Amino acid sequence: MNMTHPATDAPSRLWTMRYGIASAMPLADTVARAMQTYGEWAEQEVELLSALVDEGHTVVEVGGDYAAHTMWLARAVGDGGRVHVTEPRRLPFQQLCANVALNGLANVHTHHAWLGRTAGRAALSSLPLMDPTSGEAIRVESVDELTPAALHLLKINLAGATLDALAGATETIRRHRPMMYARLGGLNACQAEVQAMKEMGYRVWSHAPYLYNPGNHAGQATNLFPGIVQQNVVAAPVESRFEFEDRFEL
């Protein structure tokens, strides 16, 4: 199969990424555009998390982002680790699975579900920041119902998903005390999201990674996202005495 560089060959069926390969997909959102143009997505997130994830770890990732970070996480935790990825949207879930399969990521488990407070079903249109016109229903499960034997990192990629995910993870978080990294849900939700983490016994720091990485995998100097950052937080259990000295504590 002819594989060429993602930045120069948009019609190619496969894109060469920093951590593997990805099937070409419509450039309907920022993640897909970054993957095609730069061969990576939000690499500054990976740089921060690389100090927190190690071989043998278990990670729960909420929101697939087409496996952009899942490919790295699978490498980071190794054969002895596990990565559980949930994605509620049908087509992004299928694209996630395709990329997991293309890279042979046997330590990755994909779940077509919304991580909520309790098990059941919900209209996709009723969930935070989902398509309000969607007529589809989605399975809802909780982090506690995934019952991972361990959990070292809870990574929430979907803006607006944090409160539901945390509400359904109380027992898992109490038992395993994982690090947490989350994309905030905007002005109307961010205060409640940060407060929910603090009430679970966590310290919370701001992390605002730029979408454009000058050292991107494709070597592209064109910045499609000038000045644009993600509004994220990283959280550590109070008892861990973990410090992010270069981050603003919330």
Side-chain angles (χ1 to χ4, degrees), residues 176-236:
H176 299 303
R177 306 301 283 163
M179 300 292 290
M180 294 192 283
Y181 188 83
R183 194 164 299 158
L184 293 176
L187 289 175
N188 294 329
C190 61
Q191 184 175 7
E193 290 167 337
V194 170
Q195 185 61 30
M197 293 181 186
K198 290 182 175 182
E199 289 175 357
M200 288 180 156
Y202 278 74
R203 295 174 64 190
V204 185
W205 294 263
S206 174
H207 186 228
Y210 283 94
L211 294 191
Y212 175 69
N213 171 27
N216 64 79
H217 181 66
Q220 284 291 315
T222 301
N223 185 352
L224 298 179
F225 315 114
I228 300 177
V229 298
Q230 298 276 26
Q231 299 298 326
N232 299 343
V233 293
V234 59

Side-chain angles (χ1 to χ4, degrees), residues 29-103:
D29 62 21
T30 302
V31 180
R33 290 178 65 199
M35 290 173 70
Q36 189 232 20
T37 305
Y38 302 121
E40 63 185 41
W41 160 247
E43 184 64 16
Q44 289 182 2
E45 291 187 16
V46 174
E47 292 170 0
L48 176 73
L49 294 175
S50 62
L52 308 180
V53 179
D54 207 345
E55 289 190 10
H57 279 188
T58 297
V59 177
V60 170
E61 195 177 15
V62 182
D65 282 347
Y66 315 117
H69 287 172
T70 307
M71 289 185 278
W72 166 72
L73 286 166
R75 287 188 182 192
V77 304
D79 292 340
R82 293 290 180 270
V83 181
H84 292 271
V85 191
T86 67
E87 173 56 63
R89 300 161 296 179
R90 180 171 50 86
L91 289 179
F93 174 74
Q94 292 167 350
Q95 290 159 336
L96 163 70
C97 292
N99 291 336
V100 168
L102 279 171
N103 289 279

